[in-house]
Amino acid sequence: MKETIYSIPINESFEVIDGQCPVCRLHLKLIDDTLDYTLGPAMMEPDVRQRTNALGFCAGHLAELLKRQKRLPLALVLETHIQSLQKSEKHLFAENCYVCDRVGGFLTSYYSNILHLWRTEEDFRRKWEAQPMICRPHIVALAQAAPKELSKKENSAFSSSLRVKASKYMQNLSESLAVFIRSFDHRFMGEDLGEHKQAVQTTIKYLSGTKGEL
């Protein structure tokens, strides 16, 4: 399973070098697929409807479901969710989200398989090293998953790789923010900022990961 179901999208994402976090790319695709699934095939699956009824959706994912312009399927899902809240205090006082829950399960498998590929495949390790950035939330997630998947020696090497990658990228962010801040000094007004014009947005995206996409 590790080398078939999950390795293909992971390798495809890590092959792209565009300054974006490759794990965010996987994460956002999972969210998009789950939102489509919720208003499509899931409508006819009783076990899924039981989960959407019980868990409901967070505010961010409700907004994303609404954007899909599938009002009737969304109305049907919301109707039975509201009925579930009316019938159960357990559901009423719980704060959950079906999309977050489903995506979180797949992400856990992705973290495990990223580490598996890093440990076993030299080609993937080259792709990993070529990536200029992993966002901070996914650095944290991978660092937390690593001790469960890697030996002590492997974990030390992987953690070192994360630290080097983070250090280089944050240095670039720091320098870019400094240029942006300097542009507010009257002595430098009118200076062409180039890519530094987006320094604040880029930094927030690094610190927020997929949350910065909502």
Side-chain angles (χ1 to χ4, degrees):
M1 180 175 288
K2 284 186 175 181
E3 297 180 341
T4 55
I5 296 175
Y6 293 104
S7 65
I8 292 173
I10 290 171
N11 273 302
E12 287 177 348
S13 184
F14 274 82
E15 282 169 1
V16 179
I17 300 178
D18 59 0
Q20 307 298 313
C21 172
V23 188
C24 279
R25 205 164 14 247
L26 291 165
H27 193 167
L28 290 169
K29 180 69 163 56
L30 283 174
I31 293 171
D32 194 55
D33 288 349
T34 298
L35 291 168
D36 286 341
Y37 174 68
T38 301
L39 298 181
M43 291 285 299
M44 303 303 293
E45 297 184 21
D47 58 328
V48 177
R49 286 297 293 276
Q50 286 177 1
R51 290 190 60 73
T52 59
N53 290 344
L55 296 176
F57 307 92
C58 67
H61 289 139
L62 277 173
E64 291 300 315
L65 286 167
L66 188 60
K67 285 180 186 178
R68 274 159 165 71
Q69 298 296 320
K70 293 186 177 180
R71 299 299 176 92
L72 178 57
L74 181 54
L76 291 168
V77 170
L78 293 177
E79 179 188 37
T80 51
H81 172 52
I82 289 294
Q83 290 170 352
S84 176
L85 294 178
Q86 289 175 309
K87 294 175 183 176
S88 169
E89 276 197 6
K90 178 182 176 182
H91 294 167
L92 179 63
F93 294 127
E95 192 172 6
N96 296 300
C97 173
Y98 169 74
V99 177
C100 291
D101 185 69
R102 188 171 192 268
V103 169
F106 280 112
L107 268 179
T108 298
S109 294
Y110 272 142
Y111 298 148
S112 174
N113 283 273
I114 287 169
L115 292 162
H116 171 78
L117 290 169
W118 182 89
R119 180 172 61 84
T120 61
E121 294 192 10
E122 187 177 336
D123 183 56
F124 178 78
R125 196 175 292 205
R126 283 196 294 268
K127 294 174 186 176
W128 169 271
E129 294 298 337
Q131 287 293 330
M133 187 268 277
I134 306 292
C135 73
R136 178 165 166 71
H138 288 135
I139 282 178
V140 172
L142 287 166
Q144 290 174 343
K148 304 170 190 174
E149 303 291 334
L150 305 176
S151 70
K152 189 173 181 179
K153 183 178 179 180
E154 290 167 341
N155 184 38
S156 178
F158 182 75
S159 297
S160 177
S161 174
L162 282 177
R163 283 193 297 272
V164 169
K165 202 177 291 292
S167 178
K168 287 181 179 178
Y169 194 76
M170 286 192 289
Q171 181 61 33
N172 291 338
L173 289 176
S174 180
E175 291 171 1
S176 187
L177 286 166
V179 172
F180 179 80
I181 291 166
R182 188 183 69 178
S183 73
F184 287 86
D185 186 319
H186 67 89
R187 294 172 296 174
F188 300 98
M189 284 187 176
E191 182 179 71
D192 183 14
L193 289 176
E195 63 182 15
H196 304 302
K197 187 181 295 185
Q198 299 296 316
V200 173
Q201 295 93 317
T202 302
T203 303
I204 288 174
K205 194 168 185 179
Y206 171 74
L207 294 173
S208 303
T210 54
K211 297 295 183 184
E213 302 286 343
L214 295 177

